[in-house]
Amino acid sequence: ANYTRFANKNKEVTGNPKVVFMGDSITEGWYRYDGDFFHQNTYVGRGISGQVTAQMLVRFRSDVINLHPETVVILAGTNDIAMNQGYVSLEHIFENIVSMVEIAKYNGIKVVLGSVLPADRYSWSWEVDKERVISSIRKLNEMIQAYAQENDIPYADYFTPMDDGTRALKKEYQRDAVHPNLEGYKVMEEVIQKILK
């Protein structure tokens, strides 16, 4: 779970942050590429590159709950599909996300669920073919969105404005087939700010 990644930064947090962003390299890169977005809005980034939902769930208490934010934005699942820690079913990915939601709600923290971003390949995981990447992201997003609607949870649809029409990430918004560039993060900021504001 890499508890040490934010151990010191968590101790430095004073007061209650407005929002904690929980995620993987996409969230980590968001903070790195546009740190002002976080600082100016009293947001905290807690993304760790390469992590799957099981690892995020394990560190959810130390990196989210113990900071006592008003809201947590959860963006997770693409590394599970890429099999970073081996094969995991979509149902188990979804269950890990639901568990994070339930822990947050139990602790009085509001939740926003983000869609998995478009992707048609993982450069580090060629064994997951294009059709499987596309279909898995589509199905997982359908599960997350349905759950959000059923439980009155805001759903941040990053996918739609970033889809190039073939369910891949628009070239003008990417550094590679998975990770956004600054222009891509600006699109995501527009989506999430409409919800958080």
Side-chain angles (χ1 to χ4, degrees):
N2 198 355
Y3 284 116
T4 60
R5 175 69 172 80
F6 293 109
N8 290 330
K9 285 188 175 292
N10 288 343
K11 291 175 184 176
E12 294 169 3
V13 174
T14 56
N16 299 341
K18 191 174 292 182
V19 182
V20 172
F21 285 69
M22 166 59 79
D24 48 39
S25 59
I26 294 172
T27 299
E28 184 176 22
W30 196 343
Y31 183 85
R32 187 170 63 249
Y33 273 73
D34 198 4
D36 287 344
F37 170 70
F38 290 82
H39 300 308
Q40 292 169 3
N41 292 288
T42 324
Y43 298 163
V44 171
R46 290 296 179 263
I48 298 181
S49 179
Q51 286 208 332
V52 296
T53 53
Q55 292 168 310
M56 294 180 209
L57 177 57
V58 170
R59 67 181 176 90
F60 197 77
R61 180 167 298 280
S62 59
D63 286 346
V64 178
I65 303 303
N66 292 348
L67 300 181
H68 307 289
E70 294 177 18
T71 304
V72 60
V73 176
I74 301 170
L75 175 55
T78 204
N79 285 330
D80 298 73
I81 294 169
M83 300 199 303
N84 280 23
Q85 297 290 329
Y87 172 76
V88 58
S89 69
L90 291 177
E91 289 73 22
H92 285 136
I93 301 169
F94 175 69
E95 287 173 359
N96 288 336
I97 293 170
V98 169
S99 293
M100 285 187 267
V101 172
E102 291 178 344
I103 293 169
K105 283 188 167 184
Y106 181 83
N107 285 275
I109 298 169
K110 298 174 187 175
V111 179
V112 178
L113 285 173
S115 69
V116 178
L117 272 58
D120 60 351
R121 66 185 184 278
Y122 297 112
S123 60
W124 65 93
S125 184
W126 288 104
E127 66 267 33
V128 187
D129 63 59
K130 179 177 179 178
E131 294 307 315
R132 183 170 163 194
V133 173
I134 290 174
S135 65
S136 295
I137 290 175
R138 177 180 58 79
K139 290 174 185 174
L140 182 57
N141 279 340
E142 287 173 354
M143 295 165 77
I144 294 170
Q145 185 172 21
Y147 173 77
Q149 290 173 343
E150 290 166 8
N151 292 275
D152 197 27
I153 296 169
Y155 176 74
D157 181 11
Y158 305 122
F159 187 97
T160 300
M162 302 182 83
D163 174 17
D164 72 353
T166 69
R167 307 191 74 84
L169 190 57
K170 285 182 179 178
K171 285 187 169 51
E172 62 265 35
Y173 294 155
Q174 60 163 281
R175 289 179 286 133
D176 53 33
V178 178
H179 299 92
N181 56 19
L182 181 58
E183 289 74 21
Y185 284 124
K186 291 297 184 184
V187 172
M188 294 172 68
E189 288 165 16
E190 186 175 345
V191 170
I192 197 65
Q193 287 293 71
K194 286 179 181 177
I195 296 171
L196 295 176
K197 295 295 186 183

